[in-house]
Amino acid sequence: MATAIAALLLLAACSSNKPAENPGASSSAPSSASTPSSAPETLTPVNATAVVAGLTSAGFTCGTDEAYAACTSEGAVVSILLGDHPRPPVVSVNAAGPVDTASAAIAKVLPKALEVAHISQPGDIVTWYGAQKGKPSAEMTAGDWLVSYAAETDTEEPGVHLTITDKLCKTACQAE
């Protein structure tokens, strides 16, 4: 209750055109209000088996394809590199079809995939992904993860691919 009242007071102060009567009072606002969304998050690593179990629980249909588990939902496929790593070295989200359709399919499942895989800065990744519309490719770093985007339009199999790679992985980090 006190947090809600503080948030309302802060909102009222921010929306007012009048200068604050006590400029030093803003420093007593809850620290979570000033925490940037890009602050690295510390998440407990989960292995590939736990990611597949989490996606299955979330309604994805999962199976294996050689070195990867493939979990499908909403027209997108989340692929998780299998192995005995403390966290999956590669998580990719792919969708086939025209770029707009494939992008929308990925956007539907991306937040859940990032949450289940314990990938840091999921909000930043989702926002960045949404800003890639019309681009053929792009990359960003989110904590210990490299995020790569590619849209294929002039191929036999058009679609969109988002690959998230663990930068801390040292051995067996890609499928053979």
Side-chain angles (χ1 to χ4, degrees):
M1 182 73 171
T3 304
I5 293 170
L8 287 174
L9 290 173
L10 184 59
L11 178 63
C14 291
S15 62
S16 172
N17 288 334
K18 293 190 249 176
E21 290 180 16
N22 184 357
S26 64
S27 65
S28 65
S31 62
S32 62
S34 62
T35 303
S37 65
S38 61
E41 299 171 44
T42 304
L43 300 171
T44 304
V46 293
N47 64 25
T49 303
V51 174
V52 173
L55 291 173
T56 301
S57 293
F60 287 71
T61 302
C62 297
T64 58
D65 179 17
E66 295 183 32
Y68 286 88
C71 298
T72 306
S73 179
E74 303 282 341
V77 178
V78 179
S79 298
I80 303 101
L81 182 62
L82 299 171
D84 60 358
H85 302 87
R87 63 186 191 181
V90 179
V91 175
S92 63
V93 187
N94 306 289
V99 172
D100 287 345
T101 303
S103 293
I106 290 174
K108 288 179 184 176
V109 302
L110 184 58
K112 181 52 78 179
L114 296 173
E115 174 190 334
V116 170
H118 286 200
I119 294 175
S120 60
Q121 298 173 271
D124 291 346
I125 294 170
V126 169
T127 300
W128 175 83
Y129 172 75
Q132 302 316 304
K133 188 174 184 171
K135 296 180 183 176
S137 64
E139 283 189 341
M140 76 167 284
T141 298
D144 299 331
W145 301 91
L146 175 64
V147 184
S148 302
Y149 166 87
E152 297 181 26
T153 56
D154 296 332
T155 66
E156 290 181 23
E157 296 180 27
V160 175
H161 311 281
L162 187 70
T163 303
I164 304 159
T165 308
D166 180 2
K167 296 187 323 181
L168 300 179
C169 186
K170 301 296 181 212
T171 58
C173 303
Q174 297 290 327
E176 299 284 323

